[in-house]
Amino acid sequence: MEDAVKVSTAGSSQLVVAGAGYAGLHVVLRLTARLRSHPEMMLTLIDRHDYHQALTELPRVAGGTRAADAVRLPLQDMLAERVRFVQTEINGFDLAGRRLLTGAGPISWTRLVLALGSRPNDFAIPGLAERALSLYSADDAEQVWAAVNQALTAAAAASDPEQQRRLATVVVGGGGATGVELAGELAAILPELASRHGLAADRPAVALVEAGPTILAGSSPQLIDKAARILSDLGVQVAVNATIAAATAGGFRLTGGQLVEGGVFVWAGGVKAPGLVADSELPTGHNGRVKVDRYLRVLDHPDIYVAGDLASVTDPRTGHVLPPLAQVALEEGETVARNLDAELSGRPLEEFTFHDKGFVVSVGTRRGVADIAGITTGGRLAHLLKDAIEWEYRQSVRHLRGWDPVAR
Ligand SMILES: Cc1cc2nc3c(=O)[nH]c(=O)nc-3n(C[C@H](O)[C@H](O)[C@H](O)COP(=O)(O)OP(=O)(O)OC[C@H]3O[C@@H](n4cnc5c(N)ncnc54)[C@H](O)[C@@H]3O)c2cc1C
């Protein structure tokens, strides 16, 4: 533990949280109750949107089983009056002057929490950014759903069965959790959707293209096997060891020269830090994530904490950097909130330790796979578990307003 320097001994302290995603919103909700005991503290939250996005639910929006507005949770329903919310774009940093450069002008901090999440990483694959859709916001998910419907409409208008089949094929690049969830969701709904467009139910198809030797890399072999079986049941064509060399007008061109054709292309193959972080002088590691110390403060910048996808945190037990997951973002947000409270109160800082609660992936609209406490399940139960986790998350963000962890 490290003794904290008190954030402010004179005047007000400006705690600024950049990003109202899983990590940033959690920091704010956890700190809100502490405002009562620290009248000198000004808590500001900044985001380009006036809503929080439940990103883990995007595959359902992309598959038309959930409305986009249902995953945009208005911040005004969650934030207490004493939290200042600024809706604006953050464009850069003045690290020496301790200011964020935003569309609403410079915003000064005494302590800053950077929780700006991540962006899709196209790994500089030619044509990918222009030709493939991504799935990283409610807007993106709506676009995928619209593109699928457009492709089915075009397929229904085509007379050649081969052309129909090509237009009605959705190709998903990247076999991680997002790619698997999206492919499963689409494969489950496409037969019925095709019928609604006047197409034969077996005309559409979903292809999942993964560069590595397996889908859901890093998961247990049992979980991977169960997920692969469900995908196969749903008719998803899974190609592993299939590296996309380029996205062309005709489809995804693999390194071996093979062309994967389709009517809709979605890229879910990885994430990287937002560009404005890469352009800053913050110390960054793999995929541009910001390097932090054990307390989640930027190396050599103890006035800046980082949480969520943007933070590069190595798990000492595995030696690997923690993955970009909501579960990790929430736990990091919890530690950052505690450490800011500790600084305000002059208590020692807490080291971050990740407590893995398990891994759950929905595959299709009814089934899923889960690895929890060393037990792997696949089927209806895992899907219900994913539903329950998402429901519980929504309840928690709505009810955390003013919740005081210290007073309890
Ligand atoms: C489709 C999909 C499915 C997923 N499913 C799961 C899952 O099932 N389980 C799981 O654990 N994880 C899942 N994840 C990963 C999880 O969503 C992320 O790890 C999590 O959102 C990270 O939280 P964060 O707070 O770091 O970033 P985010 O939640 O992305 O929040 C970042 C915030 O910063 C704001 N912002 C960014 N840049 C700027 C700027 N320049 N100016 C102003 N505001 C800005 C954004 O608007 C956003 O509100 C999924 C991700 C995706 C995309």
Side-chain angles (χ1 to χ4, degrees), residues 18-25 46-49 51-59 88-91 115-119 135-137 177-178 181 271 274 276 307-311 323-330 332 359-362 386 390:
Y22 286 80
L25 179 62
I46 309 171
D47 201 287
R48 58 164 71 102
H49 302 298
Y51 49 81
H52 167 75
Q53 300 187 75
L55 297 184
T56 67
E57 301 179 35
L58 294 185
T88 189
E89 185 72 22
I90 299 163
N91 300 314
L116 296 172
S118 47
R119 299 298 311 143
L135 188 61
Y136 219 84
S137 66
T178 299
E181 289 205 349
V271 295
L276 86 152
D309 286 6
L310 190 54
L325 288 173
Q327 187 192 148
V328 176
L330 292 172
E332 289 172 355
F359 186 57
V360 190
V361 179
S362 73
K386 184 82 200 273
E390 286 171 353

Side-chain angles (χ1 to χ4, degrees), residues 62-353:
T65 55
R66 192 155 296 171
D69 276 346
V71 305
R72 296 185 183 107
L73 311 179
L75 288 167
Q76 67 178 25
D77 293 351
M78 296 180 250
L79 300 179
E81 271 175 22
R82 267 205 59 195
V83 178
R84 181 169 74 123
F85 173 64
V86 183
Q87 183 181 355
T88 189
E89 185 72 22
I90 299 163
N91 300 314
F93 308 93
D94 168 11
L95 295 177
R98 294 190 170 190
R99 297 183 315 164
L100 279 176
L101 308 176
T102 82
I107 296 179
S108 302
W109 73 74
T110 313
R111 289 291 180 272
L112 171 67
V113 180
L114 273 183
L116 296 172
S118 47
R119 299 298 311 143
N121 190 351
D122 65 10
F123 298 101
I125 298 171
L128 200 62
E130 300 80 38
R131 293 208 161 84
L133 298 168
S134 57
L135 188 61
Y136 219 84
S137 66
D139 291 354
D140 289 347
E142 275 183 311
Q143 278 178 31
V144 172
W145 174 236
V148 169
N149 278 281
Q150 264 172 26
L152 292 185
T153 305
S159 48
D160 171 28
E162 269 312 303
Q163 199 192 358
Q164 279 196 337
R165 179 74 170 176
R166 184 176 55 74
L167 287 169
T169 296
V170 183
V171 185
V172 179
T178 299
V180 166
E181 289 205 349
L182 177 64
E185 194 79 21
L186 290 172
I189 59 106
L190 276 178
E192 197 213 312
L193 193 62
S195 307
R196 278 196 251 152
H197 281 78
L199 273 174
D202 62 355
R203 191 63 82 207
V206 178
L208 182 62
V209 180
E210 164 56 44
T214 171
I215 57 165
L216 300 173
S219 304
S220 70
Q222 296 88 330
L223 180 125
I224 292 169
D225 186 52
K226 286 183 192 298
R229 279 169 198 255
I230 302 174
L231 287 173
S232 166
D233 274 2
L234 291 166
V236 177
Q237 301 152 15
V238 178
V240 293
N241 295 313
T243 305
I244 299 165
T248 67
F252 284 163
R253 172 82 57 197
L254 304 184
T255 44
Q258 189 196 342
L259 188 67
V260 184
E261 292 182 302
V264 179
F265 296 87
V266 189
W267 175 244
V271 295
K272 63 180 179 183
L276 86 152
V277 174
D279 297 340
S280 74
E281 284 168 14
L282 294 166
T284 54
H286 185 56
N287 286 337
R289 298 170 85 182
V290 179
K291 291 183 179 170
V292 292
D293 65 15
R294 293 172 297 165
Y295 311 103
L296 301 180
R297 299 175 306 183
V298 178
L299 298 181
D300 300 328
H301 291 279
D303 53 315
I304 307 176
Y305 288 85
V306 190
D309 286 6
L310 190 54
S312 178
V313 180
T314 303
D315 187 341
R317 288 165 302 185
T318 63
H320 296 303
V321 174
L322 290 171
L325 288 173
Q327 187 192 148
V328 176
L330 292 172
E331 285 199 28
E332 289 172 355
E334 185 78 38
T335 296
V336 168
R338 283 182 196 278
N339 280 344
L340 285 167
D341 186 35
E343 287 204 75
L344 285 161
S345 313
R347 293 197 315 274
L349 298 184
E350 199 179 276
E351 287 181 21
F352 174 70
T353 312

